[in-house]
């Protein structure tokens, strides 16, 4: 009987150990695990078993700013074929959606799928990326669609503000006007140009693969070693931050029949700026907006900062588009008051506590959204900081130094706000 | 005896350890509970691990724009704009700050349809404060006449924006043609005239009469128990009037909503600055579709019009380059399929011929192989959880369609109903020198 008791107590201990290990798994899966494959590809994995979905994203830090004048269309068209149509079609039949987009500093391939297909997808995707088989695929029709899209954007007024800004900014010594895609540039792309782009620019280092979802770290690493790490290692391309010239016009006014009233500021992020501090700063910045803007329908602010420029430590665009019930004049006044308050009114500990609480809740909401986790990791990779930092933002806000916030506003933020964009709904207004 | 016990105990341990592996069925990802709570509110709880975030949706039946009186069209939209603008003693700005402090996010107030819907996300830990704060909007609204004038001030601009967008313009015209003289065919934003006639009393009366418990349906999503859901509803709505339960609409009332198909089948709208681009919107009125037919419609649309679907492939085979988007709107008494295509003007005639041939072809025979693949994917979707919490109710609606019942026969039968040329209406927008059978979109 004694033996029996001992046996049962061991059993109970075993049971509790099992339970505890499950609990630990709950906690540990809140974090992103990093690894580097033999060919230099960085891997970020966040296990999340709440839903049977996995999102795989390849980030290739080559963007529109890296290619010679007039070759931006080649980059977009060639990158669109990094995953061949055959692969895309095959996996679409398995409920896997794949999206490829080229940005100013990186190319992003994102696929959402049933985790059962992840091995197969990685295999096919790497065969395509490794061989460049699809980079010049279906070029004639893709070019025609691209031209049509550009025309449509113009009619809709989408991108009117962005496109009007770029000719006034110089990046890496180049006037960014060449980033704009014209019909002529799109038509100049040939199959040979796409293949040359692939040969000259595609590198496994720097490159990253981010996986978020219902996949186990160990099995995934094994799978990545059999697929992604076999991507041929070629001469590395340095990932240098962009140089940014501020000798451009300070204010641009744009009139468009189709666009709504909006104001935007471009903030040049000076070299060496601590990105964690910057995130703390912008959390305070956007929180204070509530004080100067009122929205009638439901009080959510329409302000946001885009990370379109962020990759490559470039600059941040602060863009405010009024909701239905904020007039342009109020928006303008609100922004001016906000800048004045950031400059003159010191942030108080109570204010920091409130913001910290809110950010803490927002982080919880972000953690529910698999795509927002993926975005956090992507931004962290491109900036070169720890992807788990975004989860500690609330703590960092709480301990922020009010002196430093004021100093930053007056010595860095306001002097580096280089542009104001005004887009009017009606040209005659 | 001891040996036997030892074996049994070992089996128990093995079962306990391996249980999570076997229990990973669809219930692990999605569990839906429907019940009527103690204050008589119909409630739905969608349970899943949501990290302390709760999705809340309050739906007041028959309080949407379709039920605005013609002379006060836009009233429900105005109520939506003003409802949470000023809470209690707070100013507009302080109300905005309070929303941020309480971490109420994703607030979406929608009144453009049958129902008046309010959806938002809240942290569970602050739920009591948040719900008590929001409840005052229903029991003790504190907006002023000035606030109302402020909201109304922006309506001409909203209408202006709507009529300058190609999509909005064509959608509005298509609806006019599919549901002529019916509320389904009317722009629920209202007009400058109807909006200007709305008074503070109208808004107060709307809040008192439309926001009642018998009229309410709650949906909660996330790590929420039945008891918690019940307590949330109590805090929010215990004090609103009980009201009268909505009964189904009479045939005449339904007819008033859906109207008739117009005799005009094609309309051209001329819009300057379109250069050599034209937009063609095709609308199909789908009346009386049951749930299986809706599931079949979703499958067919996915198989035909998705990125690698037959429609786009065939268009390119015919050397027509266009940007295609297709979606269906399921309404209570009639559904609508919208197929929107942007083309180069030179391809317009070719496309019109292609479209008519294709719709006819699909009616006779659809690609069952692609439809089966699509059905398999939707069946998978019904078992999966959510990647984000936005639009949870809509996502759930799509998950609850009976895809498994949409067998080959149902698909064929639905295709026949779906691509009925008599129910198709088309709007073409472009920079046309001559306007034929339509109007000027200027």
């Amino acid at each position: 009987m004694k033996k029996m008791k001992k046996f049962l107590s061991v059993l109970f201990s075993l049971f509790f150990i099992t339970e505890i290990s499950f609990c630990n798994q709950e906690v540990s899966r809140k974090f992103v695990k990093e690894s580097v494959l033999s060919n230099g590809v960085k891997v970020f994995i966040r296990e999340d078993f709440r839903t049977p979905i996995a999102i795989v994203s390849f980030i290739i830090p080559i963007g529109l700013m890296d290619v010679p004048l007039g070759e931006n269309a080649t980059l977009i068209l060639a990158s669109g074929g990094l995953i061949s149509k055959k692969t895309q079609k095959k996996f679409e039949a398995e409920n896997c959606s794949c999206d490829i987009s080229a940005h100013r500093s990186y190319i992003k391939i994102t696929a959402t799928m049933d985790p059962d297909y992840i091995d197969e997808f990685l295999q096919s995707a790497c065969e395509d990326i490794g061989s460049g088989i699809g980079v010049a695929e279906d070029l004639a029709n893709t070019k025609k669609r691209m031209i049509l899209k550009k025309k449509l954007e113009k009619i809709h007024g989408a991108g009117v503000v962005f496109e009007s800004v770029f000719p006034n900014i110089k990046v890496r010594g180049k006037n960014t006007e060449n980033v704009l895609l014209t019909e002529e540039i799109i038509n100049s792309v040939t199959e040979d140009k796409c293949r040359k782009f692939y040969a000259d620019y595609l590198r496994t280092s720097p490159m990253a693969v981010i996986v978020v979802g219902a996949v186990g770290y160990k099995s995934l690493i094994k799978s990545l070693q059999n697929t992604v790490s076999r991507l041929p290692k070629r001469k590395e391309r340095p990932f240098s931050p962009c140089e940014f010239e501020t000798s451009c016009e300070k204010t641009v006014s744009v009139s468009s029949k189709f666009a709504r009233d909006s104001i935007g500021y471009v903030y040049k992020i000076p070299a060496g700026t601590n990105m964690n501090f910057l995130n703390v700063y912008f959390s305070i910045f956007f929180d204070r907006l509530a004080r100067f803007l009122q929205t009638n329908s439901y009080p959510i602010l329409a302000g946001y900062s885009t990370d379109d420029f962020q990759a490559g430590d470039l600059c941040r665009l602060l863009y405010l588009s009024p909701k239905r019930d904020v007039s342009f004049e109020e928006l303008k006044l609100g922004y001016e008051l906000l800048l004045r308050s950031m400059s003159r009114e010191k942030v108080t500990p109570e204010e920091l506590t409130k913001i910290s609480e809110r950010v803490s809740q927002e982080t919880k909401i972000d953690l529910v959204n698999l795509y927002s986790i993926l975005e956090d990791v992507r931004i962290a990779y491109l900036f070169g900081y720890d992807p788990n930092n975004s989860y500690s933002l609330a703590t960092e806000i709480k301990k922020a130094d009010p002196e430093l916030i004021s100093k930053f506003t007056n010595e860095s933020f306001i002097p580096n706000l280089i542009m104001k964009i005004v887009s009017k709904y009606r040209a005659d207004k | 005896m001891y040996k036997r016990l030892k074996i049994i105990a070992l089996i128990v341990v093995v079962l306990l350890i391996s249980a999570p592996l076997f229990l990973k069925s669809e219930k692990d990802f999605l569990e839906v509970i429907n019940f009527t709570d103690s204050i008589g509110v119909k409630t739905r709880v969608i349970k899943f691990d949501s990290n302390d975030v709760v999705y809340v949706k309050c739906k007041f039946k028959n309080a949407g724009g379709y039920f605005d009186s013609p002379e006060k069209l836009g009233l429900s939209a105005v109520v939506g704009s003003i409802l949470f603008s000023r809470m209690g003693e707070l100013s507009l700005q302080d109300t905005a700050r309070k929303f941020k402090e309480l971490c109420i996010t994703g607030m979406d107030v929608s009144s453009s349809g049958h129902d008046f819907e309010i959806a938002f996300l809240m942290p569970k830990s602050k739920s009591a404060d948040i719900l008590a704060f929001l409840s005052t909007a229903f029991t003790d609204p504190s907006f002023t006449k000035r606030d109302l004038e402020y909201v109304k001030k922006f309506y001409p601009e909203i209408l202006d924006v709507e009529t300058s967008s190609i999509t909005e313009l064509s959608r509005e015209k298509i609806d006019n043609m599919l549901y002529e003289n019916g509320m389904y065919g009317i722009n629920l934003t209202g007009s400058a005239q109807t909006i200007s006639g709305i008074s503070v009393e109208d808004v107060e009366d709307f809040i008192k009469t439309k926001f009642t418990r018998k009229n309410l349906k709650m949906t909660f999503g996330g790590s929420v128990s039945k008891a918690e859901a019940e307590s949330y509803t109590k805090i929010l709505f215990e004090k609103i009037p009980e009201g009268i339960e909505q009964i189904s609409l009479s045939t005449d009332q339904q007819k008033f909503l859906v109207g008739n198909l117009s005799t005009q089948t094609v309309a051209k709208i001329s819009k300057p600055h379109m250069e050599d681009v034209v937009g063609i919107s095709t609308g199909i009125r789908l009346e009386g579709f049951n749930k299986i037919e809706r599931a079949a419609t979703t499958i067919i649309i996915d198989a035909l019009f998705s990125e690698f679907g037959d429609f786009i492939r065939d268009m390119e085979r015919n050397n027509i380059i266009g940007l295609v988007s297709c979606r269906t709107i399921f309404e209570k008494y009639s559904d609508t399929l919208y197929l929107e295509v942007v083309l180069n003007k030179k391809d317009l005639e070719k496309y019109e011929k292609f479209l008519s041939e294709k719709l006819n072809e699909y009616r006779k025979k659809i690609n069952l192989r692609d439809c089966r693949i699509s059905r398999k994917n939707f069946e998978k979707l019904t078992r999966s959880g959510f990647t984000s919490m936005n639009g949870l109710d809509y996502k759930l609606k799509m998950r609850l369609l009976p895809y498994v019942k949409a067998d080959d026969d149902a698909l064929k039968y639905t295709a026949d109903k779906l691509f009925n040329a008599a129910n198709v209406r088309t709007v073409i927008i472009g920079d046309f020198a001559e306007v034929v059978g339509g109007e000027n979109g200027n």
Side-chain angles (χ1 to χ4, degrees):
Chain A
M1 201 60 203
K2 240 184 188 177
K3 264 188 180 176
M4 182 68 190
K5 267 186 185 169
K6 198 176 170 189
F7 179 73
L8 282 174
S9 73
V10 170
L11 271 186
F12 272 107
S13 317
L14 256 175
F15 178 72
F16 281 113
I17 288 165
T18 318
E19 284 295 290
I20 289 163
S21 72
F22 277 124
C23 291
N24 279 340
Q25 204 182 347
E26 287 289 313
V27 176
S28 68
R29 73 190 163 105
K30 282 194 172 61
F31 296 93
V32 178
K33 293 168 188 170
E34 284 183 60
S35 187
V36 182
L37 299 176
S38 55
N39 56 352
V41 176
K42 279 197 170 183
V43 173
F44 300 89
I45 298 169
R46 187 183 187 279
E47 297 167 302
D48 190 319
F49 293 92
R50 282 170 304 161
T51 187
I53 283 169
I55 310 171
V56 180
S57 187
F58 288 84
I59 305 292
I60 307 165
I62 298 160
L64 295 163
M65 297 300 179
D66 301 292
V67 291
L69 286 169
E71 289 305 315
N72 49 351
T74 309
L75 178 133
I76 295 173
L77 289 165
S79 62
L82 281 172
I83 304 291
S84 69
K85 293 268 180 300
K86 192 181 156 199
T87 303
Q88 289 191 50
K89 199 182 160 202
K90 178 181 156 194
F91 285 94
E92 198 192 46
E94 298 300 345
N95 208 11
C96 162
S97 63
C98 186
D99 178 63
I100 307 170
S101 52
H103 300 257
R104 286 182 179 77
S105 305
Y106 59 93
I107 296 166
K108 180 171 77 171
I109 303 169
T110 305
T112 308
M113 69 197 75
D114 184 324
D116 290 348
Y117 293 100
I118 201 163
D119 288 352
E120 216 180 314
F121 174 79
L122 286 171
Q123 189 73 43
S124 301
C126 289
E127 275 167 22
D128 289 351
I129 296 171
S131 64
I133 197 167
V135 289
E137 201 179 28
D138 193 26
L139 196 59
N141 281 346
T142 316
K143 274 159 63 174
K144 284 181 193 164
R145 274 195 299 270
M146 197 177 196
I147 291 167
L148 202 56
K149 261 185 206 163
K150 293 309 291 178
K151 285 181 185 169
L152 193 65
E153 274 175 22
K154 204 174 150 195
I155 295 164
H156 275 308
V160 166
V161 176
F162 279 16
E163 295 208 354
S164 306
V165 175
F166 293 131
N168 293 281
I169 301 176
K170 283 189 176 185
V171 176
R172 286 185 188 155
K174 287 189 303 191
N175 190 313
T176 56
E177 198 164 4
N178 68 83
V179 167
L180 302 181
L181 291 168
T182 62
E183 198 169 331
E184 198 187 347
I185 291 175
I186 296 168
N187 276 328
S188 73
V189 179
T190 59
E191 289 190 12
D192 284 348
K193 275 187 176 181
C194 287
R195 291 197 186 96
K196 191 172 183 312
F197 159 80
Y198 175 79
D200 290 349
Y201 286 92
L202 254 288
R203 297 290 182 270
T204 51
S205 178
M207 185 196 271
V209 176
I210 306 165
V211 183
V212 178
V215 277
Y217 178 79
K218 278 184 188 167
S219 62
L220 185 62
I221 284 287
K222 210 172 160 188
S223 174
L224 290 165
Q225 276 163 353
N226 291 328
T227 52
V228 180
S229 69
R230 287 186 187 162
L231 281 172
K233 189 175 179 180
R234 295 189 283 180
K235 198 183 162 194
E236 284 189 17
R237 189 185 67 83
F239 179 26
S240 57
C242 297
E243 288 162 20
F244 192 87
E245 288 178 24
T246 57
S247 57
C248 54
E249 267 184 67
K250 280 247 177 191
T251 305
V252 177
S253 293
V254 184
S255 288
S256 164
K257 183 170 168 49
F258 302 108
R260 296 190 66 197
D261 290 337
S262 53
I263 301 178
Y265 287 94
V266 179
Y267 168 60
K268 177 204 167 192
I269 300 170
T273 305
N274 181 323
M275 297 315 290
N276 290 338
F277 174 80
L278 204 63
N279 284 336
V280 170
Y281 184 81
F282 280 116
S283 298
I284 299 164
F285 182 88
F286 279 103
D287 196 79
R288 281 206 178 176
L289 264 177
R291 203 188 302 173
F292 304 107
L293 291 179
Q294 56 187 38
T295 64
N296 259 44
S297 53
Y298 26 92
I300 298 172
L301 295 167
Y304 69 93
S305 73
T306 170
D307 74 326
D308 199 28
F309 290 85
Q310 285 179 15
D313 288 4
L314 188 55
C315 60
R316 185 169 281 198
L317 180 69
L318 304 167
Y319 180 71
L320 288 182
S321 171
K323 299 210 77 148
R324 293 178 158 200
D325 45 9
V326 175
S327 74
F328 179 67
E329 282 68 32
E330 279 171 301
L331 184 74
K332 220 162 75 175
L333 181 70
Y335 222 154
E336 277 159 18
L337 287 170
L338 171 71
L339 288 177
R340 209 177 301 161
S341 106
M342 288 301 286
S343 163
R344 294 176 191 171
E345 275 179 55
K346 260 191 201 144
V347 62
T348 64
E350 295 74 35
E351 193 179 352
L352 289 175
T353 307
K354 277 182 184 173
I355 300 169
S356 165
E357 271 178 30
R358 184 177 54 76
V359 169
S360 163
Q361 291 301 335
E362 281 171 0
T363 309
K364 282 178 184 170
I365 292 172
D366 277 353
L367 281 167
V368 177
N369 188 337
L370 294 186
Y371 290 98
S372 104
I373 296 167
L374 189 81
E375 285 301 282
D376 281 348
V377 180
R378 179 181 63 75
I379 292 166
Y381 164 64
L382 289 166
F383 273 126
Y385 62 74
D386 181 356
N388 290 308
N389 270 351
S390 56
Y391 307 125
S392 58
L393 181 61
T395 324
E396 290 190 33
I397 291 170
K398 215 170 179 177
K399 60 183 187 194
D401 181 352
E403 288 292 337
L404 274 181
I405 300 288
S406 296
K407 201 177 161 206
F408 182 80
T409 304
N410 296 318
E411 292 176 15
S412 178
F413 185 66
I414 290 179
N416 282 292
L417 271 178
I418 60 157
M419 192 170 291
K420 181 167 75 175
I421 308 151
V422 180
S423 160
K424 288 191 176 185
Y425 167 60
R426 275 186 295 271
D428 57 342
K429 214 167 88 177
Chain B
M1 176 68 186
Y2 172 63
K3 209 173 178 182
R4 258 189 211 166
L5 271 171
K6 202 171 166 183
I7 290 166
I8 292 166
L10 266 172
I11 291 169
V12 169
V13 169
V14 169
L15 283 175
L16 275 172
I17 293 171
S18 57
L21 297 173
F22 295 113
L23 292 175
K24 220 159 190 57
S25 66
E26 63 190 85
K27 277 205 162 183
D28 284 342
F29 304 113
L30 205 64
E31 187 185 344
V32 182
I33 309 166
N34 292 304
F35 62 98
T36 302
D37 74 7
S38 59
I39 56 166
V41 176
K42 284 182 185 143
T43 308
R44 168 176 284 170
V45 177
I46 312 161
K47 290 188 83 167
F48 60 93
D49 178 4
S50 65
N51 212 355
D52 188 49
V53 182
V54 177
Y55 170 86
V56 185
K57 183 169 181 180
C58 326
K59 182 159 97 179
F60 292 99
K61 280 168 72 185
N62 294 358
Y66 291 147
F67 299 93
D68 285 348
S69 66
E71 65 279 9
K72 295 277 161 82
L73 194 67
L75 171 62
S76 55
V78 168
V79 175
S81 294
I82 208 167
L83 190 63
F84 298 115
S85 62
R86 187 193 291 274
M87 310 282 282
E89 301 294 306
L90 300 175
S91 66
L92 293 172
Q93 287 157 331
D94 286 341
T95 305
R97 281 183 72 79
K98 187 80 180 166
F99 263 78
K100 287 212 100 184
E101 269 171 41
L102 287 168
C103 308
I104 305 167
T105 55
M107 176 64 92
D108 183 16
V109 183
S110 157
S111 63
S112 54
H114 276 264
D115 310 314
F116 191 101
E117 298 177 342
I118 303 156
F120 57 93
L121 296 176
M122 64 172 184
K124 203 172 171 181
S125 49
K126 291 189 175 187
S127 56
D129 289 346
I130 288 169
L131 298 168
F133 172 68
L134 294 178
S135 71
T136 57
F138 303 96
T139 52
D140 190 19
S142 49
F143 59 87
T144 63
K145 199 176 170 188
R146 208 172 142 218
D147 297 339
L148 180 64
E149 291 310 314
Y150 185 82
V151 168
K152 283 158 66 174
K153 195 175 85 180
F154 291 98
Y155 269 78
E157 196 158 310
I158 294 166
L159 290 169
D160 230 1
V161 171
E162 284 180 359
T163 48
S164 72
S165 146
I166 302 167
T167 320
E168 293 286 343
L169 201 60
S170 63
R171 192 67 66 87
E172 194 178 325
K173 183 65 189 163
I174 284 274
D175 288 344
N176 289 164
M177 291 162 81
L178 291 174
Y179 304 103
E180 200 173 51
N181 301 323
M183 289 301 280
Y184 277 15
I186 286 175
N187 180 353
L188 299 174
T189 311
S191 65
Q193 199 188 347
T194 59
I195 296 293
S196 66
I198 293 168
S199 64
V200 171
E201 291 72 34
D202 290 329
V203 178
E204 282 172 347
D205 188 55
F206 185 101
I207 292 173
K208 263 184 223 155
T209 55
K210 303 269 186 171
F211 297 157
T212 62
R213 288 208 304 274
K214 288 250 166 135
N215 206 17
L216 172 65
K217 191 179 172 189
M218 296 295 295
T219 304
F220 297 96
S223 318
V224 184
S225 69
K226 202 174 155 183
E228 281 168 333
E230 199 159 345
S231 75
Y232 294 159
T233 308
K234 261 192 183 170
I235 304 173
L236 250 180
F237 294 121
E238 196 172 25
K239 288 179 190 159
I240 65 168
E242 190 173 6
I244 309 156
E245 192 153 17
Q246 290 290 327
I247 48 164
S248 300
L249 299 184
S250 68
T251 319
D252 280 351
Q253 283 171 316
Q254 287 177 28
K255 201 157 186 279
F256 174 72
L257 287 177
V258 296
N260 302 305
L261 265 161
S262 69
T263 47
Q264 184 188 10
T265 53
V266 180
K268 269 191 173 181
I269 298 176
S270 188
K271 199 169 168 50
H273 314 300
M274 292 273 290
E275 295 178 13
D276 61 340
V277 175
V278 283
I280 307 182
S281 296
T282 308
I284 309 180
R285 176 164 160 162
L286 315 170
E287 215 151 342
F289 272 39
N290 62 31
K291 278 187 180 175
I292 297 175
E293 286 162 348
R294 281 179 171 177
T297 302
T298 310
I299 291 166
I300 294 168
I301 300 307
D302 183 68
L304 289 178
F305 302 104
S306 64
E307 197 182 346
F308 295 105
D310 274 2
F311 188 81
I312 296 165
R313 274 201 302 264
D314 287 351
M315 249 173 83
E316 293 196 353
R317 260 184 227 136
N318 281 278
N319 207 16
I320 306 169
I321 295 296
L323 307 171
V324 181
S325 75
C326 183
R327 68 185 193 127
T328 37
I329 301 284
F330 295 134
E331 273 288 16
K332 207 160 187 172
Y333 301 111
S334 181
D335 306 328
T336 314
L337 185 149
Y338 299 96
L339 174 64
E340 283 148 0
V341 179
V342 175
L343 299 163
N344 289 305
K345 211 175 192 175
K346 66 177 177 56
D347 290 335
L348 178 61
E349 224 168 281
K350 221 183 335 173
Y351 173 78
E352 282 180 291
K353 195 168 163 255
F354 169 84
L355 177 70
S356 124
E357 280 171 7
K358 279 291 145 187
L359 294 186
N360 198 27
E361 185 188 316
Y362 297 148
R363 187 176 186 188
K364 287 179 192 154
K365 198 180 176 193
I366 46 162
N367 181 341
L368 277 176
R369 196 187 71 91
D370 282 2
C371 283
R372 285 180 199 133
I373 292 170
S374 184
R375 181 172 57 212
K376 193 179 87 181
N377 288 336
F378 280 109
E379 281 173 24
K380 263 190 209 167
L381 182 78
T382 58
R383 295 192 296 271
S384 65
F386 301 100
T387 46
S388 86
M389 295 187 75
N390 297 326
L392 210 56
D393 205 37
Y394 173 75
K395 287 178 191 166
L396 185 79
K397 251 186 216 165
M398 294 307 287
R399 277 164 170 73
L400 293 181
L401 285 177
Y403 299 105
V404 72
K405 290 184 184 166
D407 57 18
D408 290 0
D409 285 343
L411 289 168
K412 281 185 210 161
Y413 169 75
T414 307
D416 183 45
K417 275 180 85 174
L418 193 61
F419 301 116
N420 180 357
N423 297 340
V424 177
R425 295 294 178 267
T426 306
V427 172
I428 306 168
I429 300 184
D431 195 348
F432 303 111
E434 285 176 32
V435 182
V436 186
E439 57 215 53
N440 199 311
N442 242 334

